[in-house]
Amino acid sequence: MGENANMTAGEEQTSKPLRILSLDGGGAKGFYSLGVLREIEGLVQKPLCEAFDLVFGTSTGAIIAALIALGRSVDEIHKLYCDYVPRIMQRKSARDKTAALAELGTVVFEDKMFTDVKTRVGIVATRWVMERPMIFKGDISQAHGRFGTFVPGFGVSIADAVQASCSAYPFFDRKVVHTAAGDDVELVDGGYCANNPTLYAIADATRALNYAPEDLRVVSVGVGTYPSPKASLLSVMYWAKYLKSVQLLQKTLEINTQSMDQLRTILYKHVPTVRISDTFERPEMATDLFEHNLEKLNLLRQRGAESYAKHEEDIKKLLSGK
């Protein structure tokens, strides 16, 4: 794991600063995040697992965060997204979407476990029954207690943890994972509790890793905000109703995202942070988290690169350690 990742529970950090990358959920709109991240990777001229000491992700951000933590380049991740995201999102039923998502996990992550990550990671999912977050972590230094029974990722594979984080019920089936403690836990999309996981990452850094807030350097990457697609005049009633359900889910996740970011600015306004997630209002940018048109998805990636450009100087300063 990364240079700061091999500490024992409760040991105080001394190296400064701690660089955090936080990645929002948002389904296919993760292409926007990849546009931002490709530019950051070009800036730092090394794999992002070496540029960041802690990477948190929710839903589509969980896929990207896990791949970054395993050492994959942004271009490699983008190719995987082009291959798999349209295939998943164009499926009609929850069962078919879930099967396609599970296939992605099996092929992309194989049998990788949280002991295989190269930097600290946090993958956010939501417990369906207990209605609380379940965050999969790779290192005991991130634990907030119960150190004696800590198992990386609760003993769950990265593929299963990521699938759970992406399981936007009811559009995907709920995901049951089996932990090292022998528990079967039913999980849904991490976006229901923290679509923007930045606060959770800061909590790890300040409460578990014992960093002072002013010693953190946070890059928080969203997926952008877009107009909602309109139902075609030729749409039958079923699809019009389906579209409204998607819009409700998207609105729920966006409210969660904005609420978490507002809390961050109130509680941790002294934490050096760059937040990248622009709003696009032109009608041609209309899209949602189930977008599967590759031309539109490539446009989102381009918009992500443009958003990065507006923040480039701030990111340079942030990652330079100043």
Side-chain angles (χ1 to χ4, degrees), residues 100-295:
L101 179 61
E103 179 187 353
L104 178 151
T106 300
V107 173
V108 171
F109 294 106
E110 300 175 324
D111 58 353
K112 293 288 192 298
M113 302 295 288
F114 281 86
T115 51
D116 295 315
V117 297
K118 301 177 185 296
T119 190
R120 296 187 186 92
V121 68
I123 301 300
V124 182
T126 304
R127 294 176 183 261
W128 175 252
V129 176
M130 296 180 65
E131 300 172 346
R132 297 182 62 183
M134 183 171 183
I135 306 177
F136 297 86
K137 305 176 183 182
D139 195 89
I140 192 172
S141 66
Q142 296 172 254
H144 292 250
R146 303 188 351 188
F147 303 110
T149 57
F150 179 87
V151 176
F154 302 100
V156 174
S157 70
I158 292 178
D160 283 349
V162 166
Q163 183 182 343
S165 184
C166 295
S167 293
Y169 182 79
F171 298 97
F172 290 82
D173 294 336
R174 299 190 292 271
K175 174 68 176 177
V176 176
V177 300
H178 187 75
T179 71
D183 299 323
D184 289 324
V185 184
E186 193 172 21
L187 300 170
V188 295
D189 197 295
Y192 288 118
C193 60
N195 201 54
N196 172 353
T198 308
L199 273 180
Y200 288 0
I202 292 175
D204 267 21
T206 57
R207 303 295 182 180
L209 300 176
N210 296 315
Y211 272 84
E214 58 269 22
D215 292 330
L216 307 183
R217 302 291 182 270
V218 180
V219 178
S220 176
V221 182
V223 297
T225 303
Y226 310 87
S228 298
K230 304 298 182 184
S232 165
L233 293 175
L234 299 177
S235 295
V236 295
M237 291 298 293
Y238 173 81
W239 290 113
K241 183 177 179 181
Y242 174 83
L243 180 60
K244 184 166 287 189
S245 298
V246 172
Q247 291 172 347
L248 177 60
L249 171 62
Q250 185 158 280
K251 180 63 70 173
T252 299
L253 297 179
E254 288 173 356
I255 291 171
N256 179 293
T257 297
Q258 299 302 329
S259 298
M260 295 293 280
D261 199 52
Q262 186 175 27
L263 276 174
R264 176 193 61 78
T265 58
I266 293 171
L267 298 174
Y268 292 103
K269 60 184 178 181
H270 48 311
V271 172
T273 301
V274 176
R275 170 75 177 167
I276 305 176
S277 190
D278 285 342
T279 297
F280 303 93
E281 298 179 348
R282 295 178 65 87
E284 63 268 24
M285 291 302 298
T287 191
D288 59 35
L289 69 167
F290 293 118
E291 181 66 63
H292 50 80
N293 182 313
L294 264 178
E295 289 185 6

Side-chain angles (χ1 to χ4, degrees), residues 60-98:
T60 194
I63 300 174
I64 300 170
L67 288 167
I68 286 173
L70 288 169
R72 305 294 284 270
S73 72
V74 178
D75 280 346
E76 288 177 307
I77 299 171
H78 176 247
K79 184 179 186 307
L80 292 169
Y81 261 57
C82 289
D83 289 344
Y84 284 97
V85 169
R87 192 185 312 175
I88 295 168
M89 297 309 183
Q90 66 188 359
R91 301 293 176 91
K92 303 302 183 186
S93 69
R95 184 175 72 173
D96 288 346
K97 276 187 171 69
T98 301

